[in-house]
Short mmCIF file of all heavy atoms in Angstrom, two decimals:
data_model
loop_
_atom_site.label_atom_id
_atom_site.label_comp_id
_atom_site.label_asym_id
_atom_site.label_seq_id
_atom_site.Cartn_x
_atom_site.Cartn_y
_atom_site.Cartn_z
N GLY A 1 0.79 -1.22 0.00
CA GLY A 1 0.00 0.00 0.00
C GLY A 1 0.83 1.27 0.00
O GLY A 1 0.29 2.37 -0.21
N GLY A 2 2.12 1.13 0.23
CA GLY A 2 3.00 2.29 0.28
C GLY A 2 3.47 2.72 -1.09
O GLY A 2 3.03 2.19 -2.12
N SER A 3 4.38 3.70 -1.08
CA SER A 3 4.87 4.29 -2.33
C SER A 3 6.39 4.39 -2.32
O SER A 3 7.01 4.49 -1.25
CB SER A 3 4.29 5.70 -2.52
OG SER A 3 2.90 5.67 -2.62
N LEU A 4 6.95 4.36 -3.50
CA LEU A 4 8.37 4.62 -3.70
C LEU A 4 8.53 5.36 -5.02
O LEU A 4 7.70 5.19 -5.93
CB LEU A 4 9.18 3.32 -3.78
CG LEU A 4 9.56 2.58 -2.50
CD1 LEU A 4 10.24 1.27 -2.85
CD2 LEU A 4 10.42 3.43 -1.60
N ARG A 5 9.58 6.15 -5.12
CA ARG A 5 9.91 6.77 -6.40
C ARG A 5 11.33 6.37 -6.78
O ARG A 5 12.28 6.66 -6.05
CB ARG A 5 9.80 8.29 -6.35
CG ARG A 5 9.95 8.91 -7.73
CD ARG A 5 9.75 10.40 -7.77
NE ARG A 5 10.93 11.14 -7.37
CZ ARG A 5 11.19 12.39 -7.76
NH1 ARG A 5 10.34 13.02 -8.56
NH2 ARG A 5 12.27 13.00 -7.34
N LEU A 6 11.43 5.72 -7.91
CA LEU A 6 12.73 5.35 -8.45
C LEU A 6 13.22 6.45 -9.39
O LEU A 6 12.43 7.07 -10.08
CB LEU A 6 12.65 4.03 -9.21
CG LEU A 6 12.10 2.83 -8.45
CD1 LEU A 6 12.16 1.58 -9.35
CD2 LEU A 6 12.81 2.61 -7.15
N SER A 7 14.52 6.63 -9.40
CA SER A 7 15.15 7.58 -10.31
C SER A 7 16.22 6.85 -11.10
O SER A 7 16.82 5.89 -10.63
CB SER A 7 15.81 8.73 -9.54
OG SER A 7 14.86 9.45 -8.79
N CYS A 8 16.46 7.34 -12.30
CA CYS A 8 17.53 6.80 -13.14
C CYS A 8 18.23 7.97 -13.79
O CYS A 8 17.63 8.68 -14.61
CB CYS A 8 16.97 5.85 -14.18
SG CYS A 8 18.17 5.30 -15.40
N ALA A 9 19.48 8.16 -13.43
CA ALA A 9 20.28 9.25 -13.98
C ALA A 9 21.09 8.74 -15.16
O ALA A 9 21.77 7.70 -15.04
CB ALA A 9 21.20 9.82 -12.91
N ALA A 10 21.03 9.45 -16.26
CA ALA A 10 21.73 9.05 -17.48
C ALA A 10 22.87 10.00 -17.79
O ALA A 10 22.79 11.20 -17.51
CB ALA A 10 20.76 9.01 -18.65
N SER A 11 23.92 9.46 -18.38
CA SER A 11 25.05 10.27 -18.83
C SER A 11 25.66 9.61 -20.05
O SER A 11 25.41 8.43 -20.33
CB SER A 11 26.09 10.41 -17.72
OG SER A 11 26.60 9.16 -17.34
N GLY A 12 26.45 10.39 -20.78
CA GLY A 12 27.17 9.86 -21.92
C GLY A 12 26.54 10.17 -23.26
O GLY A 12 27.17 9.94 -24.30
N ARG A 13 25.33 10.67 -23.25
CA ARG A 13 24.64 10.99 -24.50
C ARG A 13 23.57 12.01 -24.19
O ARG A 13 23.04 12.05 -23.07
CB ARG A 13 24.01 9.73 -25.10
CG ARG A 13 23.57 9.88 -26.54
CD ARG A 13 23.04 8.57 -27.07
NE ARG A 13 22.65 8.65 -28.47
CZ ARG A 13 23.40 8.27 -29.48
NH1 ARG A 13 24.60 7.75 -29.25
NH2 ARG A 13 22.97 8.38 -30.70
N THR A 14 23.20 12.81 -25.17
CA THR A 14 22.14 13.78 -24.96
C THR A 14 20.86 13.05 -24.56
O THR A 14 20.34 12.23 -25.32
CB THR A 14 21.88 14.59 -26.24
OG1 THR A 14 23.10 15.25 -26.61
CG2 THR A 14 20.79 15.61 -26.01
N PHE A 15 20.38 13.36 -23.35
CA PHE A 15 19.29 12.58 -22.78
C PHE A 15 18.03 12.66 -23.64
O PHE A 15 17.30 11.68 -23.77
CB PHE A 15 19.01 13.09 -21.36
CG PHE A 15 18.02 12.26 -20.61
CD1 PHE A 15 18.28 10.93 -20.34
CD2 PHE A 15 16.83 12.81 -20.15
CE1 PHE A 15 17.38 10.15 -19.64
CE2 PHE A 15 15.92 12.04 -19.46
CZ PHE A 15 16.18 10.71 -19.19
N SER A 16 17.78 13.81 -24.23
CA SER A 16 16.56 13.96 -25.03
C SER A 16 16.62 13.18 -26.34
O SER A 16 15.63 13.15 -27.08
CB SER A 16 16.28 15.44 -25.31
OG SER A 16 17.36 16.02 -26.02
N SER A 17 17.74 12.57 -26.64
CA SER A 17 17.83 11.72 -27.83
C SER A 17 17.46 10.27 -27.52
O SER A 17 17.47 9.41 -28.41
CB SER A 17 19.25 11.75 -28.40
OG SER A 17 20.17 11.08 -27.55
N LEU A 18 17.10 10.00 -26.27
CA LEU A 18 16.82 8.64 -25.82
C LEU A 18 15.37 8.47 -25.42
O LEU A 18 14.79 9.34 -24.77
CB LEU A 18 17.68 8.30 -24.60
CG LEU A 18 19.20 8.43 -24.75
CD1 LEU A 18 19.87 8.29 -23.40
CD2 LEU A 18 19.72 7.39 -25.73
N ALA A 19 14.81 7.32 -25.76
CA ALA A 19 13.59 6.87 -25.11
C ALA A 19 14.04 6.02 -23.91
O ALA A 19 15.13 5.47 -23.91
CB ALA A 19 12.75 6.03 -26.05
N MET A 20 13.18 5.95 -22.91
CA MET A 20 13.57 5.26 -21.69
C MET A 20 12.50 4.26 -21.26
O MET A 20 11.32 4.45 -21.52
CB MET A 20 13.77 6.27 -20.56
CG MET A 20 14.83 7.34 -20.85
SD MET A 20 16.47 6.66 -21.07
CE MET A 20 16.81 6.01 -19.44
N GLY A 21 12.96 3.24 -20.57
CA GLY A 21 12.03 2.25 -20.07
C GLY A 21 12.43 1.75 -18.70
O GLY A 21 13.57 1.93 -18.27
N TRP A 22 11.47 1.16 -18.02
CA TRP A 22 11.69 0.47 -16.76
C TRP A 22 11.24 -0.98 -16.92
O TRP A 22 10.16 -1.24 -17.47
CB TRP A 22 10.91 1.11 -15.61
CG TRP A 22 11.44 2.41 -15.13
CD1 TRP A 22 11.02 3.66 -15.48
CD2 TRP A 22 12.49 2.61 -14.18
NE1 TRP A 22 11.75 4.62 -14.81
CE2 TRP A 22 12.65 4.00 -14.00
CE3 TRP A 22 13.32 1.75 -13.44
CZ2 TRP A 22 13.60 4.55 -13.14
CZ3 TRP A 22 14.26 2.30 -12.58
CH2 TRP A 22 14.40 3.68 -12.43
N PHE A 23 12.06 -1.86 -16.44
CA PHE A 23 11.76 -3.29 -16.40
C PHE A 23 11.98 -3.78 -14.98
O PHE A 23 12.60 -3.10 -14.17
CB PHE A 23 12.67 -4.06 -17.36
CG PHE A 23 12.32 -3.90 -18.81
CD1 PHE A 23 12.57 -2.71 -19.47
CD2 PHE A 23 11.73 -4.93 -19.52
CE1 PHE A 23 12.24 -2.55 -20.81
CE2 PHE A 23 11.39 -4.79 -20.85
CZ PHE A 23 11.66 -3.60 -21.50
N ARG A 24 11.51 -4.97 -14.70
CA ARG A 24 11.77 -5.57 -13.39
C ARG A 24 11.95 -7.07 -13.53
O ARG A 24 11.47 -7.69 -14.48
CB ARG A 24 10.62 -5.26 -12.41
CG ARG A 24 9.30 -5.90 -12.77
CD ARG A 24 8.21 -5.38 -11.83
NE ARG A 24 6.92 -6.00 -12.11
CZ ARG A 24 5.78 -5.64 -11.52
NH1 ARG A 24 5.77 -4.65 -10.62
NH2 ARG A 24 4.65 -6.26 -11.81
N GLN A 25 12.65 -7.63 -12.56
CA GLN A 25 12.89 -9.06 -12.56
C GLN A 25 12.81 -9.57 -11.14
O GLN A 25 13.59 -9.17 -10.27
CB GLN A 25 14.25 -9.38 -13.16
CG GLN A 25 14.48 -10.86 -13.37
CD GLN A 25 15.67 -11.15 -14.27
OE1 GLN A 25 16.52 -10.29 -14.50
NE2 GLN A 25 15.72 -12.36 -14.80
N ALA A 26 11.85 -10.47 -10.92
CA ALA A 26 11.70 -11.12 -9.62
C ALA A 26 12.50 -12.41 -9.61
O ALA A 26 12.79 -12.98 -10.68
CB ALA A 26 10.23 -11.40 -9.36
N PRO A 27 12.86 -12.91 -8.44
CA PRO A 27 13.64 -14.16 -8.37
C PRO A 27 12.95 -15.30 -9.10
O PRO A 27 11.75 -15.53 -8.90
CB PRO A 27 13.73 -14.42 -6.87
CG PRO A 27 13.59 -13.10 -6.24
CD PRO A 27 12.65 -12.33 -7.12
N GLY A 28 13.69 -15.98 -9.96
CA GLY A 28 13.16 -17.12 -10.68
C GLY A 28 12.25 -16.78 -11.84
O GLY A 28 11.67 -17.68 -12.45
N LYS A 29 12.14 -15.49 -12.14
CA LYS A 29 11.26 -15.08 -13.22
C LYS A 29 12.05 -14.32 -14.28
O LYS A 29 13.15 -13.83 -14.03
CB LYS A 29 10.13 -14.20 -12.70
CG LYS A 29 9.16 -14.94 -11.78
CD LYS A 29 7.96 -14.07 -11.46
CE LYS A 29 6.95 -14.83 -10.62
NZ LYS A 29 5.74 -14.01 -10.33
N GLU A 30 11.45 -14.20 -15.46
CA GLU A 30 12.08 -13.45 -16.53
C GLU A 30 11.91 -11.95 -16.31
O GLU A 30 10.98 -11.51 -15.62
CB GLU A 30 11.48 -13.85 -17.88
CG GLU A 30 11.80 -15.27 -18.29
CD GLU A 30 11.35 -15.56 -19.71
OE1 GLU A 30 10.69 -14.69 -20.32
OE2 GLU A 30 11.64 -16.66 -20.20
N ARG A 31 12.79 -11.18 -16.91
CA ARG A 31 12.67 -9.74 -16.84
C ARG A 31 11.40 -9.33 -17.58
O ARG A 31 11.12 -9.81 -18.68
CB ARG A 31 13.90 -9.09 -17.47
CG ARG A 31 14.01 -7.61 -17.23
CD ARG A 31 15.37 -7.09 -17.64
NE ARG A 31 16.45 -7.68 -16.85
CZ ARG A 31 17.70 -7.25 -16.85
NH1 ARG A 31 18.03 -6.19 -17.59
NH2 ARG A 31 18.61 -7.85 -16.12
N GLU A 32 10.63 -8.42 -16.97
CA GLU A 32 9.37 -8.02 -17.58
C GLU A 32 9.27 -6.51 -17.70
O GLU A 32 9.80 -5.75 -16.87
CB GLU A 32 8.17 -8.56 -16.79
CG GLU A 32 8.02 -8.00 -15.40
CD GLU A 32 6.71 -8.43 -14.74
OE1 GLU A 32 5.91 -9.16 -15.36
OE2 GLU A 32 6.50 -8.02 -13.59
N PHE A 33 8.56 -6.09 -18.71
CA PHE A 33 8.33 -4.68 -18.99
C PHE A 33 7.44 -4.06 -17.91
O PHE A 33 6.47 -4.69 -17.47
CB PHE A 33 7.67 -4.55 -20.35
CG PHE A 33 7.17 -3.16 -20.66
CD1 PHE A 33 8.04 -2.13 -20.97
CD2 PHE A 33 5.80 -2.91 -20.64
CE1 PHE A 33 7.58 -0.87 -21.26
CE2 PHE A 33 5.33 -1.65 -20.94
CZ PHE A 33 6.21 -0.62 -21.24
N VAL A 34 7.78 -2.84 -17.52
CA VAL A 34 6.96 -2.10 -16.56
C VAL A 34 6.38 -0.84 -17.21
O VAL A 34 5.16 -0.64 -17.20
CB VAL A 34 7.79 -1.70 -15.33
CG1 VAL A 34 6.97 -0.82 -14.38
CG2 VAL A 34 8.30 -2.94 -14.59
N ALA A 35 7.24 0.00 -17.78
CA ALA A 35 6.78 1.26 -18.35
C ALA A 35 7.83 1.80 -19.31
O ALA A 35 9.01 1.45 -19.22
CB ALA A 35 6.50 2.28 -17.25
N ALA A 36 7.39 2.66 -20.23
CA ALA A 36 8.31 3.29 -21.17
C ALA A 36 7.82 4.69 -21.49
O ALA A 36 6.62 5.00 -21.35
CB ALA A 36 8.43 2.46 -22.44
N ILE A 37 8.75 5.53 -21.93
CA ILE A 37 8.42 6.91 -22.23
C ILE A 37 9.26 7.38 -23.41
O ILE A 37 10.45 7.09 -23.51
CB ILE A 37 8.65 7.80 -20.99
CG1 ILE A 37 8.15 9.22 -21.20
CG2 ILE A 37 10.13 7.79 -20.57
CD1 ILE A 37 8.08 10.03 -19.90
N ARG A 38 8.64 8.11 -24.33
CA ARG A 38 9.37 8.66 -25.46
C ARG A 38 10.23 9.85 -25.05
O ARG A 38 10.13 10.34 -23.94
CB ARG A 38 8.38 9.07 -26.56
CG ARG A 38 7.73 7.90 -27.24
CD ARG A 38 6.85 8.36 -28.37
NE ARG A 38 6.31 7.22 -29.11
CZ ARG A 38 5.46 7.32 -30.12
NH1 ARG A 38 5.07 8.52 -30.52
NH2 ARG A 38 5.03 6.25 -30.74
N TRP A 39 11.05 10.30 -25.97
CA TRP A 39 12.05 11.32 -25.65
C TRP A 39 11.45 12.59 -25.07
O TRP A 39 12.02 13.22 -24.18
CB TRP A 39 12.87 11.64 -26.89
CG TRP A 39 12.08 12.39 -27.94
CD1 TRP A 39 11.24 11.86 -28.88
CD2 TRP A 39 12.03 13.81 -28.10
NE1 TRP A 39 10.68 12.86 -29.62
CE2 TRP A 39 11.13 14.06 -29.18
CE3 TRP A 39 12.63 14.87 -27.47
CZ2 TRP A 39 10.86 15.35 -29.62
CZ3 TRP A 39 12.36 16.17 -27.90
CH2 TRP A 39 11.49 16.39 -28.96
N SER A 40 10.28 12.99 -25.56
CA SER A 40 9.67 14.24 -25.12
C SER A 40 8.83 14.08 -23.86
O SER A 40 8.42 15.08 -23.26
CB SER A 40 8.79 14.79 -26.23
OG SER A 40 7.69 13.91 -26.45
#
């Protein structure tokens, strides 16, 4: 029922040239898609 905010800091390339995504992987399971966002 609680909340958390994850952050991901990027470097090495102009950030606005990248689309970004979040995935997750639980023990014994495959990595799964969570969310994605376009450059803008």
Side-chain angles (χ1 to χ4, degrees):
S3 298
L4 280 175
R5 188 176 82 155
L6 305 183
S7 299
C8 172
S11 61
R13 194 176 182 98
T14 302
F15 188 61
S16 60
S17 70
L18 304 170
M20 301 298 294
W22 286 97
F23 285 73
R24 66 187 182 186
Q25 188 166 17
K29 294 188 176 182
E30 293 188 354
R31 191 169 297 192
E32 65 172 359
F33 170 74
V34 175
I37 187 167
R38 289 184 175 177
W39 70 276
S40 66

